[in-house]
Amino acid sequence: MSETAVVQQPQGAMPAILPVVRGIIGAALGFALGAGATSLIRIATGHDAWDLELNFVLGYTLAAPGWLLGVGVWQFWGREWLGWKPQEPLLHGWQRYFTFCTDHKVIGVQYLVTFVVLFLLAGAFAMLIRLQLLSPENPVLADGTYNRVMSLHGIIMIAVAVASVVGGFGNYFVPLMIGARDVAFPRLNALTFWLIPPVAVLLLGAQAVGGWDSGWTAYPPLSVRNASGQIFFNMAIITFGLSSILSGLNFLTTVTYLRAPGMSWGKLPVFVWSVICASIIALTFTQFFAAAMLMVTLDRIAGFSFFSASDGGKPILYQHIFWFYSHPAVYIFALPGFGITLEIIAHFSRKPLFAYRWAVGGMLGIVAISGLVWAHHMFVSGMSPWMHGMFLVSTEIISIPTGLVFLSALGTIWMAKIWIRTPMLFALSVVFNFMIGGLTGIFLADVPTDVNLSDTYFVVAHFHYTIVGAEIFALFADIYYWFPKITGKMYDERLGQIHFWIMFIAFNMTFIPMFYPGLHGMNRRIATYTPDLQGINIFISSMAFILGASFLIFIWNMCYSLLRGPVAAADPWRARTLEWRVSSPPPVENFPALPVIHGNPYDYGVPNAPAYAIIAIAGASGEDDPAEGGN
Amino acid sequence: MAVVASREQALAVAAVPRVVPSHNGGGGHHDEPQRPAMNQLGLWLFFVSESFLFASLLVARFYLAGTSRGHVDQMLGLGITAVLLVSSLTAYLSEVSIAQGNRGAFLFYLLLTIVLGVAFAGGVAFEWSTAEFSRSEPYGTAFFTMTGLHASHVISGVAMLGLVYYLGLRGHFSAKDHWGVEAVVKYWHFVDVVWVFFYPALYLIGA
């Protein structure tokens, strides 16, 4: 095998749609088997043949593996379990984007495109929400429909926040940045992506059976009693959690064992560190969300009483288990955002990253404390009062490591000759937005203020500042920063900057005023509000529509540049990290020979700093280090 | 910087067929020096992750029902616990046997492990059928969920042991190359260790 040329011929003219069709057939067979067996047992035990939720859950339990086996797991992996020879995945041609491809760059693009599409879709739902809130008199949606739209917006955006940066850019760039040819478990990596389509289908398909109206948090008792769409949501979360856990496992193993020679832990780019931190959280805490969903499912379909207070169950148990994942999860969103922000700020400030070790320590500190703060979401839940002070303090403490990351960004900008390009604008805006998100968070961490602000639009504004303001802005920084590397084309800088300014201003004009109705008691997740708040809501909605429209510029810029844009240089930003030492887009297996690392990734303008990396084969652009002024 | 030239150069380099013994295709599963270590770490990280799932149920058991306990058959509990602990020993002996190249002993102990695993699952099923408490009361909710989730891991472990047995019968695995055996046996030990925590929490604590 290995002595043959790496460049393989595409395996015949395989229609690109075939793997997906196989997957759908596999899913249908699996579902028929699971749901059919359930019906037989029900008939045998004297019940009706069909119980939507029970049949669906047991059908889906086999449909998901059926989908995976059909889409490529069997062909490229499963045959091995029976001692047969698996086929080699397709590594060339556009078809590979629709197949079970093990190339980390293809998987990165698959994640990225999928989640940008989901982001725009969930953004459209947000537009619907803001349309509704133009007036307190329910102009657009019925109350129940409003809650379903709000729930769908919430969970899709959460999924985007979890997987767009880590799944998309983590997959594409972590192996490149550490000087590896691929991740540790390439087939597992492909599997994590192909778990995503069922998640999207479940969440959207749930609408066919009434959707669910319990938000993305799905608190019982509502989530045990509402429409059957809830059960689709539960299955979607368990599936998505599995994907998240396995990709965390993969990143941790990859970075531990596949760093290039000389790439010590202290020379890792800070983005890689942030993915490590997010992976630790994803690997461990995600199980709690899955456990919570399992419990709700058992309560619904099998008469268990985890959360049924009349049978001795405890609804607050759900909140503990749920937030034990879902608070650390916000660091799965935020940390890669911080990582890429520091990365871009260092490259565009043309200075060494300030206090690299402290920034990395800060991120690890966040991971360490992330599991100790969850109950600050529950100050009004009725949990034992002795927990209030404890969680107030731990929540305040986590701002210390976060502050270290922040100071690293500020110290890097300090006295820098900043090179303003679209990625840098987005990165700087992350610092600004997260400052507002962080400062308003103090009021939600402190019990006396939180008791009044809980479940109001103050909370909505706060977490949009942290998640959209930090991670989604960082996602767009990423997209512009790495667009030339991924596509080999350059985006239009002028349109990029126009997109940035409209998005940045409209975002702040939407969410700064939103603190005000929150302070005046406007409840989140409710389709109406008191009439005196209509003026400010009209303003917020108008700005939200402009925010939404700004993405049209982005879509145009990306599509046009992809098709007609100028050819991008291998290293348009003159950055030191490894991904810029290979062509745009990088070849299969990334490097002609494994790079050897000598210097630090951010030693811009440091006298006598060694080149970051040397790639042995002549012709690769490893030796011409831009920081040494050789250009 | 000669941008276009360097791009073409890099593409040219990439297009030259190369002989890289330690890497292949994008599959990444052939002869890399780090492969055994990566497999080990991957497996252990999976256990770490699973521990969180089991821990969540362990915590839920005490949160829901305190230390109160329904009536369970103590002899049955002790019996299936003993069966599972012994099955870990036989699984270990099976792994050691293939590491020493003794295929006969490897298959014998593997089969014994499978039989013990099935016996354990059967014991749990029997306990379920005779339980005097219902799943709609707090202890019952915890009991059926914990034993159910654990038993599903036992059954998936039996299935994987069965696959390894089938492959072993057909001559797969050797003293040098038996990662498949090692991984499944480690998984079996892990499931066993989970029971070491679940058993006292469900059978021994409280009254």
Side-chain angles (χ1 to χ4, degrees), chain B residues 36 98-101 173-179 182:
Chain B
I98 190 66
Q100 294 170 345
F173 306 122
S174 63
K176 265 179 71 183
D177 175 21
H178 56 276
W179 164 247
E182 191 186 335

Side-chain angles (χ1 to χ4, degrees), chain A residues 111 162 166 185 188 191-192 195-196 237-253 278-291 325 332, chain B residues 42 45-53:
Chain A
Y111 263 106
V162 169
V166 176
F185 306 110
L188 191 69
L191 187 146
T192 66
L195 282 168
I196 303 298
I237 295 300
I238 291 173
T239 310
F240 187 60
L242 182 62
S243 165
S244 189
I245 288 165
L246 293 176
S247 85
L249 182 157
N250 212 341
F251 280 123
L252 290 173
T253 312
S279 296
I280 295 171
I281 296 174
L283 177 79
T284 52
F285 293 105
T286 309
Q287 294 280 10
F288 271 67
F289 202 177
Y325 161 73
I332 302 180
Chain B
L45 289 176
F46 175 71
F47 295 154
V48 169
S49 178
E50 287 271 282
S51 309
F52 274 69
L53 176 62

Side-chain angles (χ1 to χ4, degrees), chain A residues 184 283 287 302 314 569 584 589, chain B residues 3 7 25 35 49 63 135 141:
Chain A
L283 177 79
Q287 294 280 10
K314 293 184 178 170
S584 301
E589 294 209 323
Chain B
V3 166
R7 170 180 153 82
R35 179 51 54 194
S49 178
Y63 193 92
R135 57 182 186 267
T141 291

Side-chain angles (χ1 to χ4, degrees), chain A residues 480-494:
Chain A
Y480 284 106
Y481 180 59
W482 277 323
F483 182 85
K485 179 52 63 183
I486 294 174
T487 63
K489 299 290 181 67
M490 197 60 188
Y491 67 86
D492 187 304
E493 180 63 36
R494 195 170 50 94

Side-chain angles (χ1 to χ4, degrees), chain A residues 351-424:
Chain A
K351 277 177 62 188
L353 183 69
F354 178 71
Y356 169 93
R357 280 163 188 274
W358 288 92
V360 171
M363 292 196 287
L364 289 169
I366 290 173
V367 173
I369 308 175
S370 67
L372 302 173
V373 301
W374 77 90
H376 66 229
H377 294 272
M378 301 167 56
F379 287 144
V380 296
S381 69
M383 69 174 180
S384 310
W386 60 266
M387 289 177 154
H388 288 181
M390 241 169 61
F391 281 98
L392 187 164
V393 171
S394 65
T395 305
E396 301 281 11
I397 285 176
I398 207 166
S399 60
I400 295 171
T402 314
L404 293 178
V405 177
F406 223 80
L407 286 176
S408 170
L410 295 180
T412 310
I413 299 165
W414 184 256
M415 304 277 281
K417 287 183 180 167
I418 293 174
W419 189 30
I420 290 292
R421 283 292 176 273
T422 312
M424 184 59 165

